[in-house]
């Protein structure tokens, strides 16, 4: 059954003025998950205007009251976790278990920021002058544009929108157009929780609408997660207008398996890091570096796990990996694999469409499936080593030492996350010092992020302040430094 899509502007759920938009199930592209009209150009103005009108009142609402709305929204999201998790699996293609996990994660994030009123709201410094204190207080930016990607259709929006609102901003949000239903679900939860009119506005529309939003003269900040190309353009547009931009972009994350590692643990975690969510996480492992002496043994263990990795309908509880987001993504990933093979990569496992087995020719025959694939390359020039395919493709290189392995891990313009598998404390400490990444996992997969700690990339993966935890404050507020003296001489 297809769900009717609506825009949420100034507290009203309305049909958009633009053309038709539908989201479809990537496992069964004939199945429409949600449909409706997208927002028209005039609605961008209406949404920004509504957010502007709501900004002062929301900024002056006590932090605890703002938090109470987020806490109520968290409860609403949590109560719908199973149903929305299934919708997420149908709309985005990750497994229903991952979908439900993501919805629960959104609730956890809303709850974290719902309690922001109980945390520090500024700092007090000593003054070098008698009778004076120096306060640093924080104020919201104002109206923030939020632009989000398809791959975490409710968790990423939650970790942008929850801090934006908690710190007193109002929001105009444009989600990825392939996952509008989950966007609507989050906005519905905040609406049901009693968010005042205009504080959050949802515009379902194409990428060009994101561009109109970014160009809007009445926006005070832009937070974006998505591809590197769009993020960099958007950062330039923000800079040209003097508006702060936070952009979380691509990754080409490495897992390093050192000779002393627990190889079973490493193989298990590597499967999760590379192939959960069909490899469509910015933190997914897409490069694997193994010390020579254990490489063959490790690959054997990895292959054994790959052989039993169940690919298929993500709503089936037995399935471990669903399709990629759509046919275009599938085509581009398969083209990337072909280019890599032409450039000399060797197939260790997989290597193409997953159109085999139970659903070959069956109801999933048209689905956007890609087999979990491991390629081996001898040098760093190959496309699969350098470029983000954003799918279930892992590229292997062997290293003759831990030093070489860490060097190879750093051999990327990106620096979002990495994983290192070792039981040696000295090597662990070297990894912490050497690896140029925003997030480092020791003996666990490269993906995964808790809501109370900073999230974001080093090098060209991230632009602007980090997200989540207290770090989010650095983007969503600005400071006023107050030199404070009593009035009497
Ligand atoms: N570092 C991080 O934290 C994360 C990074 N990512 C990265 O995101 C990418 C995958 O997500 P994907 O959704 O395909 O990314 P895109 O960059 O294609 O899209 C992201 C968002 O930007 C919108 N958009 C597209 N063009 C423009 C434009 N010109 N101006 C403003 N907005 C625009 C999209 O709208 P529409 O959908 O309508 O085109 C969507 O809402 C990967 O590269 C991945 O690494 C993903 C998650 C986390
Ligand atoms: O690692 C995670 O769980 C979240 C990462 C993320 O934001 C992403 O992959 O898009």
């Amino acid at each position: 059954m297809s769900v009717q899509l609506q825009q949420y502007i100034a507290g009203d759920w309305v049909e958009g003025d633009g053309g038709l938009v539908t989201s479809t199930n990537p496992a069964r592209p004939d199945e429409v998950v949600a449909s409706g009209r997208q927002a028209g150009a005039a609605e961008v103005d209406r949404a920004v205007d509504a957010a502007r009108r709501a900004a002062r009142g929301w900024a002056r609402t006590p932090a605890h009251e703002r938090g109470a709305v987020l806490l109520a929204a968290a409860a609403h999201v949590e109560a719908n976790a199973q149903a929305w998790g299934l919708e997420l699996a149908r709309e985005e293609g990750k497994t229903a278990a991952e979908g439900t996990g993501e919805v629960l994660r959104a609730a956890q994030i809303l709850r974290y920021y719902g309690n922001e009123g109980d945390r520090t709201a500024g700092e007090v410094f000593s003054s070098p002058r008698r009778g004076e204190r120096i306060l640093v207080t924080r104020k919201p930016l104002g109206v923030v544009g939020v632009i989000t990607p398809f791959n975490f259709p409710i968790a990423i929006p939650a970790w942008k929108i929850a801090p934006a609102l908690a710190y007193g901003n109002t929001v105009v949000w444009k989600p990825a157009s392939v996952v509008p239903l989950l966007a609507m679900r989050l906005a519905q939860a905040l609406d049901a929780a009693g968010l005042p009119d205009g504080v959050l506005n949802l515009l379902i529309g194409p990428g060009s609408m994101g561009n109109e939003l970014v160009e809007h003269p009445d926006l005070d900040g832009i937070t974006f997660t998505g591809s590197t190309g769009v993020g960099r353009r958007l950062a330039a547009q923000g800079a040209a207008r003097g508006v702060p931009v936070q952009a979380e972009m691509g990754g080409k994350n490495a897992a390093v398996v050192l000779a002393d590692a627990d190889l079973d643990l490493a193989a298990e975690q590597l499967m999760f890091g590379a192939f959960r969510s069909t490899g469509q996480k910015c933190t997914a492992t897409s490069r694997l570096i193994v010390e020579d002496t254990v490489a063959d043994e490790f690959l054997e263990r990895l292959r054994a796990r790959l052989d039993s990795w169940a690919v298929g309908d993500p709503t089936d509880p037995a399935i471990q990996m669903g399709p990629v987001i759509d046919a275009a993504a599938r085509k581009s990933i398969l083209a990337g694999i072909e280019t890599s093979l032409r450039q000399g990569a060797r197939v260790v496992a997989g290597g193409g469409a997953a159109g085999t087995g139970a659903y070959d020719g069956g109801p999933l025959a048209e689905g956007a499936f890609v087999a979990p694939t491991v390629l081996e390359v001898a040098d760093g020039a190959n496309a699969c080593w350098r470029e983000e395919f954003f799918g279930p493709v892992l590229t292997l290189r062997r290293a003759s030492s831990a030093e070489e392995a860490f060097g190879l891990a750093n051999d990327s313009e990106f620096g979002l996350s990495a994983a290192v598998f070792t039981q040696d404390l000295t090597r662990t400490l070297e990894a912490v010092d050497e690896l140029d990444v925003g997030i480092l996992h020791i003996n666990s997969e490269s993906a995964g992020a808790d809501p109370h700690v900073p999230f974001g990339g080093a090098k060209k993966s991230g632009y602007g302040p980090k997200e989540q935890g207290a770090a989010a404050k650095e983007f969503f507020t600005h400071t006023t430094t107050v030199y404070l003296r009593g009035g009497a001489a």
Side-chain angles (χ1 to χ4, degrees):
M1 198 190 67
S2 163
V3 178
Q4 178 69 34
L5 294 170
Q6 287 186 308
Q7 315 290 328
Y8 181 55
I9 301 173
D12 292 325
W13 288 96
V14 292
E15 189 169 67
D17 280 345
L20 277 181
V21 59
T22 55
S23 66
T24 53
N25 179 343
R28 303 162 188 266
D30 288 342
E31 185 184 305
V32 175
V33 177
S35 65
R37 295 214 161 271
Q38 47 190 23
E43 286 168 315
V44 177
D45 283 336
R46 280 218 300 125
V48 175
D49 183 54
R52 172 61 62 204
R53 279 185 284 111
R56 194 173 166 82
W58 184 245
R60 290 183 169 204
T61 301
H64 285 86
E65 271 180 45
R66 295 196 298 251
V69 177
L70 297 182
L71 293 175
H76 190 88
V77 169
E78 206 161 59
N80 286 286
Q82 292 287 338
W84 294 359
L86 198 58
E87 286 180 344
L88 203 166
R90 285 179 63 226
E91 192 172 57
E92 197 268 351
K94 65 182 64 171
T95 64
E98 287 177 297
T100 302
E102 184 184 333
V103 176
L104 289 171
R105 183 172 176 179
Q108 190 191 11
I109 293 161
L110 287 161
R111 193 160 286 130
Y112 173 85
Y113 286 107
N115 288 308
E116 190 58 20
D118 291 347
R119 303 193 187 101
T120 56
E123 289 171 298
V124 182
F125 289 81
S126 301
S127 165
R129 291 162 292 279
R130 283 173 195 272
E132 186 178 82
R133 290 279 185 284
I134 306 175
L135 312 185
V136 178
T137 62
R138 289 191 176 264
K139 294 176 185 166
L141 291 180
V143 178
V144 176
V146 172
I147 299 179
T148 51
F150 75 82
N151 66 328
F152 278 89
I154 190 163
I156 288 180
W159 84 49
K160 290 178 182 295
I161 291 168
L165 299 180
Y167 296 124
N169 300 279
T170 58
V171 167
V172 181
W173 170 29
K174 197 217 89 66
S177 42
V178 284
V179 286
L181 175 55
L182 265 289
M184 215 173 77
R185 294 300 186 219
L186 180 59
Q188 284 171 339
L190 285 155
D191 182 27
L195 199 68
D197 295 351
V199 171
L200 170 68
N201 303 273
L202 168 66
L203 293 173
I204 295 168
S208 56
M209 170 162 293
N211 191 53
E212 283 166 39
L213 184 61
V214 170
E215 288 288 323
H216 201 287
D218 215 14
L219 228 57
D220 300 309
I222 299 150
T223 176
F224 166 87
T225 296
S227 59
T228 306
V230 175
R232 285 185 191 168
R233 267 202 308 281
L234 202 141
Q237 286 169 283
R241 289 191 25 237
V243 168
V245 175
Q246 176 185 54
E248 284 301 333
M249 299 171 282
K252 193 69 196 172
N253 312 300
V256 174
V257 180
L258 296 183
D260 71 291
D262 176 332
L263 296 186
D264 273 330
L265 171 80
E268 176 203 62
Q269 293 295 310
L270 199 85
M271 290 299 295
F272 296 162
F275 302 123
R276 273 189 175 164
S277 290
T278 324
Q280 298 174 117
K281 295 186 189 179
C282 58
T283 48
T285 307
S286 54
R287 296 183 299 140
L288 166 63
I289 299 145
V290 190
E291 256 193 284
D292 245 340
T293 49
V294 292
D296 288 333
E297 190 185 342
F298 180 71
L299 283 183
E300 222 167 273
R301 295 186 198 206
L302 194 64
R303 247 188 241 111
R305 286 176 187 270
L306 267 166
D307 286 346
S308 62
W309 193 246
V311 181
D313 183 343
T315 61
D316 174 346
I319 289 301
Q320 289 164 291
M321 192 179 103
V324 293
I325 185 66
D326 56 21
R330 175 177 186 271
K331 192 171 165 202
S332 135
I333 295 163
L334 296 184
I337 294 173
E338 257 173 47
T339 303
S340 307
L341 296 178
R342 268 201 313 277
Q343 292 174 343
R346 181 179 77 84
V347 178
V348 176
T356 56
Y359 51 88
D360 195 13
L364 302 185
E366 299 303 317
F369 290 94
V370 176
T373 299
V374 184
L375 304 174
E376 179 166 3
V377 297
D379 64 63
N382 198 299
C384 62
W385 179 260
R386 306 228 76 84
E387 292 165 23
E388 186 187 43
F389 288 1
F390 218 56
V393 183
L394 181 64
T395 303
L396 163 74
R397 282 180 77 181
R398 297 169 195 242
S400 57
S401 65
E403 289 72 21
E404 188 189 356
F406 293 155
L408 290 177
N410 279 336
D411 178 29
S412 170
E413 63 173 331
F414 298 116
L416 182 52
S417 72
V420 173
F421 295 90
T422 178
Q423 300 181 71
D424 181 328
L425 181 58
T426 306
R427 290 298 185 210
T428 300
L429 293 174
E430 280 170 14
V432 172
D433 284 345
E434 292 300 319
L435 293 186
D436 217 353
V437 288
I439 298 150
L440 177 60
H441 289 262
I442 306 293
N443 294 315
S444 59
E445 58 158 312
S446 65
D450 283 323
H452 63 299
V453 287
F455 177 85
K459 291 155 80 175
K460 291 181 180 165
S461 287
Y463 179 88
K466 296 261 160 81
E467 304 194 278
Q468 303 209 61
K473 206 182 265 183
E474 299 305 326
F475 179 71
F476 289 109
T477 64
H478 69 87
T479 56
T480 300
T481 305
V482 184
Y483 294 85
L484 185 68
R485 292 188 205 173

